[in-house]
Structure formats: structure tokens, C-alpha cells
Amino acid sequence: MSKKELRIGLVGVGFMGRTHTNGYKRVSDFFPDLQNRPVLKAVCSRTAATVNAFAEQWGYESVETDWKSLVARDDIDAVDICTPNNMHAEIAIAAAEAGKMILCEKPLSRTLEEGRQMVDAIEKAGVNNTVWYNYRRLPAVTLAKQIVASGKLGRIFHYRANFLQDWTINANVPQGGQGTWRLDVDAAGSGVTGDLLAHCIDTAIWLNGSITDVSAVTETFIKERVHQATGEMQKVGIDDACIFHCHFDNGSLGLFESTRYARGHKALYTFEINGEHASVRWDLHDLNKLEYFDHRDESIVRGWRTIHVTDGDQPYMDKWWVPGLSIGYEHSFVHQVADFLKSLETGEPCSPTFREALETQKVCQAVLDSAAAKSWKGVNEY
Ligand code: SOE
């Protein structure tokens, strides 16, 4: 069966440009029944040498150094935004107006206002869209969704999550520039709240429903850093660490923490959900496993059990190897490409859509405002 080509235009060649391109290259090999096949049509980055090297290494047919030229091309069907957050809105709005499908890295936007403008443009254009909250698409996290949705846990009382890293603890890490734009509030919009807690919030909303109000505290431990654009010391505008608690619409309580000053943790993302009958927990460091505890088990076998999510009847795993053999972080992006391509066949949205990701943006804004005001903030105020 001949497949329809989906001609991809990638903007941005950093860490996420690589994870997304790997997804485009692998998907048709492992999801052969899909009717659309991604084609690496064009890649864009500001510097000719950089983008040519990336295109050569990864197999893009052509290059652009101006994203506006890429968006205007009639041989591009889908624009994939892998730039710093301050460029998401202008590229997405232009791409939507050009009738392109759009895949956008998280978080949706630098600010809530920009996010609203993006959603308006996308919904006016009626183009397919998704935001790369990739952790949803690890098999163990998708299985957690299936378990919670089945009602096995019973009434939910608690949701807790953390995302701990340590890479900004060194005062010599600059703000701005390639790889450290996440420390520049003008490029990123916020620090760990929009970068890491956004993942935790998206997963939490997906698994446990909407968040109604938040109370937060943030801290910026290193107050000044050299800005790469000027070489001068500049006040730091991002949150280095954030802790918040919240109410969910279903009556449960939430507790979230993130920092990039946690020695001993490179990327510790965990969540745990406690229900009246059972609990489930997951840890990115052991991403193929889900821990489950069910109080209803007979006492002789009652305890935390480890589900090694590799069986063919568990999410996505029939596409890979044989039971017992694990997959990795990069497969979450292959799965999101597969689900996006499937959505083109079914007409169903590929979650999270821009509209759904706007909810996460609202919670992030409420968290930042709560910390600044030292008071509770209702998410519905946004
Ligand atoms: C931050 O360092 C980061 O790269 C995030 O931006 C990603 O979203 C996360 O998945 C890993 O850490």
C-alpha cells in the first residue's frame, strides 16, 4: 500500500530537534500500518554551517536559515517547533495562517498570553496540532492512565510529583545562548515551572483531572549570571526551584516540587497517586516499570508489585521487541509521531492539543503569580 508523505519542516536543531527527527525516522519501520510516512523535507536554524551539518547528519532534503521561508514553502505539510519558548508563538501563528499542521515542543508558550494567541490561530485555521509532552507516551505512564481510568484506585486522595535536576547549581552557567536559553527569562518565560513542572502538571491533569487552585513558593538561588549576549553580569529572572500544593477538581490534593539544584539527580521525574483502594507510582529512572499497591490483595501477597511494562498487550509494546526487553526515553517521541500520524487517519485530536496544553500554561502562570503574591491563586481566574 503506497503511503501518503507527510513533509516535515523542522525549526530548531538542538536536543529536541534530534529527539523529534529520530521519531520521524523510526516510526514507519515500527508502525508499518500507518497510512502516512514522515519525510524530512527541510530543517531551519539561523546559522548556515550548523543547519547544513544537521541536515547532512540526519538526512533532511533541504535547509533554511529563516523560519519564515520554511513556513511559506508549499512543499511543507507540518511545521515542528523546536526553538526556545520565545519563538513558539510567532512561528505557530504564521504556520497556522499558512495552513500547516503544527507540532510544538513544550511548554506551549513563553507566556499565557502568547499561548492564548496560539490557540486562537490554530483553532481559526483548523489545522492538526499537538504539543510534545512526551512522558505521556512512555508505556508505563500510558498504563498508569489506563489503571486510573479503570477506577481500580477508587476515590483519589493524593497526587504528588517531582522533577529534580542539578545542572544549574554552578554559578558559571550563563543565561541566554545555545543550550542555556532556559536560564534567560526573556527566552524561556520562567525557570523550572515552565520547563519541568509543566511536564508534571500535564501528566497530572491527564491522569487526575484539572487543578482548581494553587499555592506556591519559588526561589532564585543565584541572583546574577553572565548573559551570553552581552558578556555582562545580569539579574536572573527565572525560578531556580518551585514547590506548590494544589486542589484538584476531583477533591484530591496535589504536591509538586522541582529544582535544578538537587545534587545526585540528573533527571528524577516521579509521580505517585494514592486512591482509597490502591496506589500507583512511576520513576523516570526506571521508566519501563510501574509500581502498584492494592489494599484489596490478600494479606499473604499484599505489597507493592512491580509491573515491568514490556508485554505485547501493554501500551505500544507490540511494536517493539519481546516481553522482558525494555525500550527507552527516545521511544516516547516515536510514539507521539505515531499517534499524530494516526490522528490524521482517524480525525481524532492528538493529545495534548494546543487547547489542552493551554490548561498547563494556566496552572504555570497561577503558580508563578501565587509565589509572587504569597497567596493562593484560582486557576479559573486565568
Ligand atoms: C531541561 O533540562 C530538560 O531538557 C527539559 O527541557 C525537558 O523537557 C526534559 O524532558 C528534560 O530536561
Side-chain angles (χ1 to χ4, degrees):
M1 172 186 72
S2 67
K3 291 180 182 276
K4 187 172 182 310
E5 289 190 345
L6 184 73
R7 299 166 296 180
I8 304 294
L10 176 74
V11 185
V13 295
F15 173 14
M16 288 301 140
R18 293 160 55 224
T19 60
H20 296 189
T21 303
N22 178 62
Y24 295 130
K25 292 177 73 139
R26 295 264 57 84
V27 69
S28 301
D29 297 335
F30 288 91
F31 292 76
D33 299 334
L34 291 169
Q35 296 166 17
N36 292 271
R37 180 174 63 84
V39 170
L40 305 181
K41 204 70 186 172
V43 56
C44 176
S45 187
R46 271 191 289 260
T47 313
T50 305
V51 73
N52 280 309
F54 189 94
E56 172 71 23
Q57 179 177 341
W58 288 88
Y60 280 87
E61 292 178 17
S62 63
V63 300
E64 297 287 352
T65 53
D66 176 354
W67 65 263
K68 293 185 175 71
S69 306
L70 180 139
V71 166
R73 285 174 52 164
D74 58 13
D75 63 344
I76 296 293
D77 302 310
V79 174
D80 186 0
I81 304 172
C82 289
T83 65
N85 301 341
N86 60 326
M87 295 178 68
H88 287 192
E90 58 181 340
I91 297 172
I93 292 167
E97 289 169 354
K100 308 298 186 190
M101 304 177 200
I102 306 170
L103 304 94
C104 184
E105 245 310 306
K106 48 56 62 180
L108 175 67
S109 52
R110 175 177 54 177
T111 67
L112 178 55
E113 186 42 42
E114 288 176 350
R116 285 201 173 95
Q117 293 164 10
M118 293 164 76
V119 170
D120 290 347
I122 280 279
E123 293 184 345
K124 183 177 174 193
V127 292
N128 293 79
N129 62 95
T130 192
V131 179
W132 294 90
Y133 280 109
N134 63 296
Y135 293 111
R136 291 185 179 207
R137 289 185 162 81
L138 288 168
V141 178
T142 301
L143 186 65
K145 170 66 177 175
Q146 293 174 352
I147 291 171
V148 175
S150 74
K152 280 183 183 298
L153 303 191
R155 176 184 168 192
I156 306 297
F157 294 112
H158 293 280
Y159 189 104
R160 68 184 68 78
N162 61 15
F163 208 140
L164 312 180
Q165 297 178 341
D166 73 349
W167 63 278
T168 66
I169 205 166
N170 181 339
N172 296 324
V173 176
Q175 50 182 313
Q178 180 73 23
T180 53
W181 59 266
R182 290 176 177 82
L183 299 180
D184 175 4
V185 70
D186 291 335
S190 65
V192 295
T193 299
D195 184 33
L196 298 177
L197 283 178
H199 276 300
C200 303
I201 294 163
D202 171 73
T203 310
I205 291 172
W206 188 48
L207 295 179
N208 194 39
S210 56
I211 291 171
T212 55
D213 58 355
V214 300
S215 173
V217 59
T218 59
E219 186 54 68
T220 303
F221 295 117
I222 294 173
K223 308 295 185 190
E224 282 197 334
R225 292 178 185 269
V226 167
H227 196 293
Q228 282 209 325
T230 62
E232 304 293 324
M233 290 298 276
Q234 189 172 313
K235 184 174 180 296
V236 172
I238 61 157
D239 45 308
D240 285 329
C242 178
I243 300 170
F244 77 89
H245 52 205
C246 68
H247 293 97
F248 284 87
D249 191 48
N250 65 7
S252 59
L253 297 182
L255 185 61
F256 295 78
E257 178 189 16
S258 181
T259 181
R260 296 186 290 215
Y261 287 70
R263 282 282 186 236
H265 299 297
K266 294 302 177 189
L268 177 71
Y269 174 18
T270 71
F271 64 75
E272 179 172 325
I273 312 172
N274 304 133
E276 66 182 305
H277 301 308
S279 292
V280 70
R281 67 185 179 200
W282 174 79
D283 178 343
L284 175 58
H285 286 174
D286 213 354
L287 61 83
N288 289 284
K289 293 181 182 171
L290 194 65
E291 302 282 334
Y292 180 77
F293 177 95
D294 197 321
H295 181 68
R296 294 162 296 196
D297 286 343
E298 291 176 84
S299 60
I300 54 171
V301 289
R302 188 182 304 135
W304 281 96
R305 69 181 86 156
T306 300
I307 306 169
H308 189 199
V309 188
T310 59
D311 287 2
D313 59 354
Q314 293 174 323
Y316 302 104
M317 291 313 291
D318 61 318
K319 297 296 188 292
W320 298 102
W321 319 122
V322 296
L325 301 184
S326 298
I327 61 173
Y329 162 81
E330 76 277 17
H331 293 80
S332 66
F333 295 94
V334 182
H335 298 160
Q336 185 140 6
V337 174
D339 290 348
F340 186 76
L341 297 178
K342 191 66 182 171
S343 75
L344 305 185
E345 298 173 23
T346 63
E348 291 301 312
C350 180
S351 274
T353 61
F354 277 39
R355 169 67 67 186
E356 289 167 326
L358 191 65
E359 288 311 303
T360 296
Q361 216 63 39
K362 288 178 184 176
V363 176
C364 289
Q365 192 60 57
V367 163
L368 294 167
D369 291 349
S370 166
K374 293 186 169 56
S375 65
W376 280 87
K377 285 292 178 187
V379 176
N380 294 331
E381 292 172 30
Y382 295 84

